[in-house]
Amino acid sequence: MRRATEAQCQATIIAAAKRGGWRIHAQRPALQRSGKWSVAIQGDPGYPDLTISHPLRGTHFLELKRAPNKVEPAQQQWLNLLPNSRVVWVPEHLDECLAWLESG
C-alpha cells in the first residue's frame, strides 16, 4: 500500500478540523508557467502549512512534514516564534492529529 502524500494528509486534516469546529487557513501552491510550483507570499518564507483556530481551544499552527523531508531553518524560525505551533509527521502521526482535532 502506498503511503499517503503530504497533500492527501493535509486534506484529511482540514476535513477533520472542520468537523471539530475549527476555522482553517492554508495556502495552496500554484503551478507557474515555468512548470515550478510556488505559493504567493509577502514577507518571510517558512510560515506553517495550517493555521487553525477554535473558539474554545485557541489558535494553533501546524507544519506538516513527510519523511524523509526535514524542517527547514526558515520554518523552524516561525515555529519558535508562534505559540501553539507543532510539526505533524504525516502519515505516521496523522491518526493522533485527527483524534486531537475532533476531540472537544
Side-chain angles (χ1 to χ4, degrees):
M1 180 187 287
R2 288 184 55 206
R3 267 175 67 210
T5 67
E6 186 176 315
Q8 290 167 330
C9 291
Q10 180 169 315
T12 301
I13 289 169
I14 289 172
K18 287 180 180 180
R19 285 192 302 274
W22 296 84
R23 301 277 298 174
I24 303 108
H25 173 80
Q27 292 181 277
R28 293 183 303 185
L31 185 60
Q32 304 298 314
R33 288 183 188 154
S34 66
K36 180 180 175 186
W37 288 91
S38 66
V39 176
I41 65 164
Q42 289 183 319
D44 297 305
Y47 192 81
D49 295 311
L50 297 172
T51 301
I52 60 173
S53 292
H54 190 278
L56 302 175
R57 298 171 70 189
T59 299
H60 297 260
F61 305 90
L62 307 179
E63 176 61 39
L64 307 183
K65 284 293 172 195
R66 186 174 184 270
N69 296 334
K70 60 183 181 179
V71 177
E72 298 296 330
Q75 294 170 323
Q76 189 61 57
Q77 288 174 345
W78 276 110
L79 294 170
N80 292 343
L81 288 170
L82 295 169
N84 301 322
S85 63
R86 67 182 76 185
V87 176
V88 179
W89 291 95
V90 294
E92 292 79 11
H93 297 134
L94 181 61
D95 289 340
E96 178 184 320
C97 181
L98 299 178
W100 172 73
L101 288 167
E102 292 178 321
S103 68

